């Protein structure tokens, strides 16, 4: 068929309703990156919506806020009635939320809150402050005496979660930094603020600015290498490391493991990614935080289906995004260590034990 013919046929089909399929998209989902196992797991679990008979489309932003915006726009053009968005940049995503509302779609912020706009209907998340608290508690539980070397690392300053994680960790670490149990070795801002139990967002931002990994394996590796090069032998030995997520924690841990002046390290993480579960079994990562994506996806799907049927999903709390109180449903988290990995990860059915090695 000639192009003009195709266009005419399309117009006729659209007019007759036969092309309704393309305009029938019920739920558009936009996830941040395929390069981290965490988000691939979320993607796989979202297929449940398809099983429920709804048309869904999942697009990837590959950590690019501009791509994320065009992804949302393309889903809206296809008629999406609900947008589930995990923002690459929590503030920049406000524009997408605004566009979605302008076109009559509902907006569910997924895992990461969309900031500075009233146009967010619901937020499904884990309790991110609890994630940071689990890290802080873990490191404090392993420390003895005074003058222990502490290295701090954070996620990306563009991700609101990075602030919540840090806030939770600070709640437990700060008193121990203030009393000299820990000595921070890689953030002059954290040292300057060690007397403050509650940090403002700006103050948190000043620390995060010095220790951000941008959620990137290679940035984390480069930063850890630079930190270890900058400090002397006395700052090494037995060290404590606030590792922000499994990907970056493995990168940082590997750098510390190869430094001959580091005799032992404790390092935190989150996401329970399979390679980190293996690291925990092998004693190369001290802990991770299981954020059960089965629950998160189930909550997002329930909220989306609720909206499609004209219902409002039930919330348990609200989060302030700078412009509005957003109705939310946070899920509890689980600390995973070598001691409890069997119950928390294998007995719970999260992963199959046979996929891992060196289990006693
Ligand atoms: C998520 C983490 C994830 C990180 C990097 C955070 O917002 O909560 O689970 O590891 O982003 O993708």
């Amino acid at each position: 068929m000639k192009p003009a013919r195709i266009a005419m046929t399309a117009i006729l089909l659209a007019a007759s309703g036969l092309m309704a399929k393309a305009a029938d998209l019920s739920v558009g989902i936009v996830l941040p990156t395929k390069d981290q196992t965490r988000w691939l797991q979320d993607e796989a679990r979202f297929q449940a919506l398809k099983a429920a008979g709804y048309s869904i489309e999942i697009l990837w932003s590959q950590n690019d806020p501009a791509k994320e915006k065009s992804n949302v726009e393309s889903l809206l053009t296809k008629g999406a009635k609900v947008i589930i968005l995990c923002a690459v940049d929590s503030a920049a995503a406000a524009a997408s939320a605004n566009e979605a509302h302008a076109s009559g779609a509902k907006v569910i912020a997924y895992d990461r809150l969309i900031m500075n706009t009233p146009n967010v209907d619901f937020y499904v998340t884990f309790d991110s402050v609890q994630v940071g608290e689990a890290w802080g508690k873990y490191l404090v539980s392993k420390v003895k005496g005074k003058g222990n070397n502490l290295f701090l690392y954070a996620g990306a300053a563009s991700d609101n979660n990075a602030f919540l994680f840090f806030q939770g960790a600070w709640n437990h670490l700060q008193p121990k930094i203030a009393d000299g149990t820990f000595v921070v070795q890689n953030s002059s801002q954290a040292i300057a603020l060690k007397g403050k139990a509650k940090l403002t967002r700006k103050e948190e931002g000043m620390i995060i600015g010095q220790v951000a990994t941008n959620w990137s394996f290679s940035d984390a590796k480069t930063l850890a290498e630079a930190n270890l090069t900058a400090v002397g032998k006395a700052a090494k030995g037995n060290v404590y490391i606030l590792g922000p997520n499994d990907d970056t924690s493995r990168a940082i841990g590997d750098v510390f493991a190869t430094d001959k002046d580091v005799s032992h390290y404790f390092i935190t993480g989150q996401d329970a990614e399979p390679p980190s579960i293996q690291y925990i079994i092998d004693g190369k990562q001290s802990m991770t935080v299981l954020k059960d994506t089965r629950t998160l996806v189930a909550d997002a799907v329930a909220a989306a289906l609720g909206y499609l049927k004209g219902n409002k999903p039930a919330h348990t709390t609200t989060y302030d995004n700078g412009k509005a109180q957003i109705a939310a449903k946070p899920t509890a988290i689980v600390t995973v260590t070598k001691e409890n990995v069997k119950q928390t990860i294998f007995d719970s059915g999260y992963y199959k034990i046979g996929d891992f090695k060196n289990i006693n």
Side-chain angles (χ1 to χ4, degrees):
M1 246 194 280
K2 291 199 174 114
R5 267 258 175 98
I6 296 174
M8 182 50 81
T9 312
I11 291 166
L12 290 173
L13 284 174
S16 69
L18 288 175
M19 273 184 66
K21 207 165 179 286
D24 242 349
L25 184 64
S26 6
V27 184
I29 301 166
V30 182
L31 294 174
T33 173
K34 273 186 178 176
D35 297 339
Q36 204 194 325
T37 325
R38 153 81 223 258
W39 304 114
L40 293 171
Q41 290 177 344
D42 297 66
E43 180 206 22
R45 301 197 199 287
F46 269 121
Q47 304 300 337
L49 265 177
K50 266 193 193 151
Y54 291 90
S55 67
I56 65 161
E57 185 168 346
I58 303 177
L59 297 177
W60 295 94
S61 311
Q62 292 309 102
N63 286 331
D64 175 356
K67 176 127 180 61
E68 175 177 285
K69 190 161 179 286
S70 67
N71 281 342
V72 171
E73 283 163 356
S74 119
L75 294 169
L76 292 172
T77 308
K78 291 177 183 175
K81 295 171 191 67
V82 179
I83 295 286
I84 298 178
L85 173 59
C86 183
V88 168
D89 180 316
S90 306
S96 299
N98 296 345
E99 279 189 48
H101 261 204
S103 83
K106 296 287 184 191
V107 175
I108 301 175
Y110 184 77
D111 195 294
R112 302 174 178 170
L113 188 54
I114 301 167
M115 302 298 284
N116 302 327
T117 172
N119 293 319
V120 180
D121 297 283
F122 201 63
Y123 179 32
V124 291
T125 183
F126 295 101
D127 189 328
S128 296
V129 174
Q130 257 185 33
V131 172
E133 295 208 322
W135 298 339
K137 274 190 219 159
Y138 180 85
L139 293 178
V140 168
S141 77
K142 296 294 171 192
V143 77
K144 285 193 206 87
K146 301 278 176 191
N148 297 280
N149 295 318
L150 175 65
F151 288 80
L152 301 173
Y153 294 96
S158 55
D159 178 2
N160 184 56
N161 282 352
F163 288 78
L164 302 178
F165 300 142
F166 193 83
Q167 180 192 328
W170 190 253
N171 288 345
H172 292 271
L173 295 178
Q174 180 275 332
K176 297 289 177 191
I177 301 171
D179 75 6
T181 302
F182 287 121
V183 181
V184 178
Q185 293 296 351
N186 66 335
S187 167
S188 57
Q189 297 287 0
I191 296 168
L193 290 161
K194 70 178 180 187
K196 273 198 90 177
K198 293 274 170 243
L199 299 178
T200 63
R201 191 170 171 104
K202 192 168 166 226
E203 289 166 340
E204 270 185 15
M206 281 157 33
I207 301 174
I208 292 173
Q210 290 185 322
V211 300
T213 61
N214 307 316
W215 295 130
S216 146
F217 187 92
S218 60
D219 286 13
K221 180 171 184 284
T222 308
L223 181 60
E225 284 166 352
N227 289 161
L228 286 180
T229 305
V231 297
K233 213 172 165 175
K236 299 180 185 176
N238 182 38
V239 301
Y240 297 78
I241 308 167
L242 188 72
N245 77 346
D246 285 352
D247 241 21
T248 55
S249 298
R250 291 194 306 278
I252 296 164
D254 287 350
V255 171
F256 277 75
T258 52
D259 189 304
K260 62 177 181 6
D261 295 324
V262 173
S263 52
H264 184 265
Y265 59 89
F266 294 92
I267 187 164
T268 61
Q270 68 168 313
D271 295 331
E273 288 193 343
S276 280
I277 295 301
Q278 189 61 57
Y279 262 44
I280 288 176
I281 294 166
D282 294 340
K284 289 159 70 178
Q285 184 173 322
S286 317
M287 63 87 88
T288 187
V289 174
L290 169 64
K291 308 202 310 187
D292 193 330
T293 49
R294 293 174 296 193
T295 313
L296 198 66
V297 169
D299 286 346
V301 167
L305 295 184
Y307 284 129
L308 291 174
K309 290 175 189 148
N311 303 326
K312 214 171 159 192
H315 66 280
T316 51
T317 187
T318 58
Y319 280 72
D320 186 345
N321 81 342
K323 274 279 172 356
Q325 294 293 328
I326 309 298
K329 186 164 182 294
T331 292
I333 49 93
V334 177
T335 296
V336 180
T337 60
K338 193 170 182 161
E339 290 70 42
N340 73 3
V341 67
K342 190 170 172 302
Q343 302 92 280
T344 54
I345 298 292
F346 305 130
D347 295 352
S348 72
Y350 205 67
Y351 297 139
K352 290 201 201 76
I353 196 162
D355 292 339
F356 295 83
K357 50 187 179 38
N358 306 334
I359 299 163
N360 315 319

